[in-house]
């Protein structure tokens, strides 16, 4: 059970308590109750964990952000001691929002990584690089895009004492990757695995059979309690688990032949930004 003591009497202002996994974590309130500044250490700010495994000092700081036009999720992860941070799937239109959050929390954004080349929005990585000296871009080496870091199976993206491990999960595109936290408690699946769905396979080197194999071999082999965070959701859902998707995903619980037939007959309209992605890859895809 997690709770936050929002208001304390002056005599109690020295300590704020956050209950996580069965005990109290004490966090000094240097500025007194209700007063926070950008220079105040993050350790003095109460941050509510998304789950017990993400207790401060054990798991990374985590924040899920949303861009409503393309229904895209951007994820910020950070090490609260070193202040190093990673941003997953930034969107051009929300670069100002993301930079403000990073600055407010006092993080040093080390890497902005895309899980694949997006056809429904323009990545914000290029703008972030222009505005943050030393930040590096990252994407799969199979994506066809340019970046500072070209990722392969098993590569690690480190930030402080934490890291993300790259699992190549092609099918939606050739360059799709899933990023898994070091303790395998969270998986950022891009468009490969969505909540009760998956990415389409009818453009950008899509292949239904490869996507099916990627999910079953690289994602469904993770622990069942591993949280699944996709790049999109269109129904207001924010997360799932590997165990849930193994049981309830209406497409990926089928046989491979049934899955291929389902994907062949989706007849979806083209993504909104695919024209930009196809004609101006340096603008839409990335990165330098």
């Amino acid at each position: 059970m997690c709770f936050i003591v929002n208001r304390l009497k002056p005599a109690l202002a020295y300590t704020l308590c956050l209950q996580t996994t069965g005990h109290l974590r004490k966090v000094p309130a240097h500025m007194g109750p209700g007063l926070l500044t950008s220079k105040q250490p993050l350790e003095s700010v109460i941050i509510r964990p998304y789950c017990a495994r993400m207790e401060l000092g054990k798991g990374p700081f985590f924040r899920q952000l949303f861009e409503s036009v393309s229904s895209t999720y951007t994820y910020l992860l950070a090490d609260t001691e070193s202040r190093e941070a990673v941003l997953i799937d930034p969107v051009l239109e929300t670069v100002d929002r993301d930079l403000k959050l990073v600055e407010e929390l006092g993080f040093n954004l080390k890497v902005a990584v895309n899980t694949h080349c997006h056809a429904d929005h323009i990545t914000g990585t290029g703008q972030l690089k222009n505005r943050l000296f030393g930040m590096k871009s990252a994407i799969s080496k199979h994506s066809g895009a340019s970046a500072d870091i070209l990722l392969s199976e098993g590569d690690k993206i480190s930030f402080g004492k934490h890291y993300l491990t790259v699992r190549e999960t092609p099918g939606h595109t050739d360059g799709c990757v899933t990023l898994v936290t070091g303790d395998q408690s969270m998986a950022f699946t891009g468009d490969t695995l969505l909540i009760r769905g998956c990415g389409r396979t009818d453009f950008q080197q899509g292949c239904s059979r490869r996507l099916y194999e990627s999910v079953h071999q690289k994602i469904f082999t993770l622990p069942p309690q591993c949280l699944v965070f996709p790049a999109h959701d269109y129904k207001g859902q924010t997360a799932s688990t590997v165990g849930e998707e193994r049981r309830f995903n209406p497409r990926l619980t089928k046989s491979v032949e049934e899955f291929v037939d389902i994907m062949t007959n989706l007849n979806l309209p083209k993504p909104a930004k695919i024209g930009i992605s196809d004609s101006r890859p340096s603008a839409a895809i990335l990165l330098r």
Side-chain angles (χ1 to χ4, degrees):
M1 175 181 176
C2 296
F3 69 88
I4 296 176
V5 180
N6 290 318
R7 301 185 63 179
L8 297 172
K9 296 180 179 179
L12 298 177
Y14 176 73
T15 301
L16 298 178
C17 295
L18 172 66
Q19 184 173 5
T20 53
T21 54
H23 65 280
L24 294 178
R25 181 174 180 84
K26 295 183 178 180
V27 187
H30 300 295
M31 303 300 294
L35 296 177
L36 303 176
T37 74
S38 60
K39 295 182 180 180
Q40 189 176 352
L42 186 65
E43 289 81 2
S44 67
V45 181
I46 286 191
I47 298 175
R48 185 185 186 278
Y50 275 55
C51 65
R53 285 194 306 278
M54 296 168 61
E55 177 192 356
L56 289 175
K58 292 185 178 180
F61 169 90
F62 170 72
R63 185 65 53 83
Q64 183 181 48
L65 304 162
F66 187 65
E67 193 280 311
S68 60
V69 175
S70 61
S71 298
T72 299
Y73 286 122
T74 297
Y75 299 97
L76 176 65
L77 293 92
D79 177 66
T80 57
E81 295 178 2
S82 70
R83 325 298 288 177
E84 291 184 343
V86 173
L87 196 64
I88 301 173
D89 287 331
V91 178
L92 179 62
E93 287 79 5
T94 54
V95 163
D96 288 341
R97 175 202 66 188
D98 298 344
L99 286 175
K100 181 180 179 182
L101 180 61
V102 169
E103 180 181 3
E104 286 176 342
L105 298 179
F107 292 144
N108 172 26
L109 188 56
K110 184 179 177 183
V111 179
V113 55
N114 283 272
T115 54
H116 64 293
C117 290
H118 305 276
D120 53 3
H121 68 270
I122 300 173
T123 179
T125 312
Q127 282 290 324
L128 288 167
K129 278 180 61 66
N130 289 337
R131 296 169 65 177
L132 285 179
F133 177 77
M135 193 208 80
K136 295 186 181 299
S137 57
I139 198 169
S140 168
K141 69 176 184 179
H142 303 295
S143 66
S146 298
D148 298 313
I149 304 169
L150 296 177
L151 302 169
S152 301
E153 177 76 21
D155 285 351
K156 289 181 170 58
I157 302 172
S158 298
F159 53 107
K161 64 178 176 292
H162 304 290
Y163 63 87
L164 297 168
T165 301
V166 176
R167 295 192 174 200
E168 294 179 346
T169 50
H172 173 61
T173 72
D174 281 348
C176 287
V177 297
T178 290
L179 305 170
V180 183
T181 55
D183 62 358
Q184 297 192 347
S185 65
M186 294 185 283
F188 301 91
T189 56
D191 284 13
T192 299
L193 177 63
L194 306 179
I195 300 171
R196 307 298 193 268
C198 63
R200 60 195 295 175
T201 57
D202 57 336
F203 65 93
Q204 286 186 323
Q205 313 93 39
C207 175
S208 300
R209 193 173 296 272
R210 288 186 78 193
L211 189 148
Y212 186 93
E213 292 171 352
S214 291
V215 171
H216 280 265
Q217 295 174 12
K218 300 292 184 67
I219 300 176
F220 281 0
T221 53
L222 290 165
Q225 69 272 20
C226 176
L227 292 166
V228 170
F229 292 103
H232 302 280
D233 190 82
Y234 308 98
K235 299 179 180 178
Q237 303 168 110
T238 58
S240 182
T241 66
V242 168
E244 280 187 33
E245 296 307 314
R246 283 181 194 164
R247 293 182 60 193
F248 304 123
N249 192 292
R251 298 177 184 174
L252 290 155
T253 51
K254 308 292 186 183
S255 69
V256 62
E257 299 302 332
E258 290 174 309
F259 176 76
V260 169
D261 184 63
I262 291 171
M263 300 304 291
T264 301
N265 292 289
L266 288 179
N267 298 317
L268 297 171
K270 287 186 177 182
K273 299 295 179 71
I274 191 169
I276 302 174
S277 300
D278 289 343
S279 63
R280 294 196 294 120
S282 62
I285 307 303
L286 284 190
L287 275 171
R288 286 197 181 278

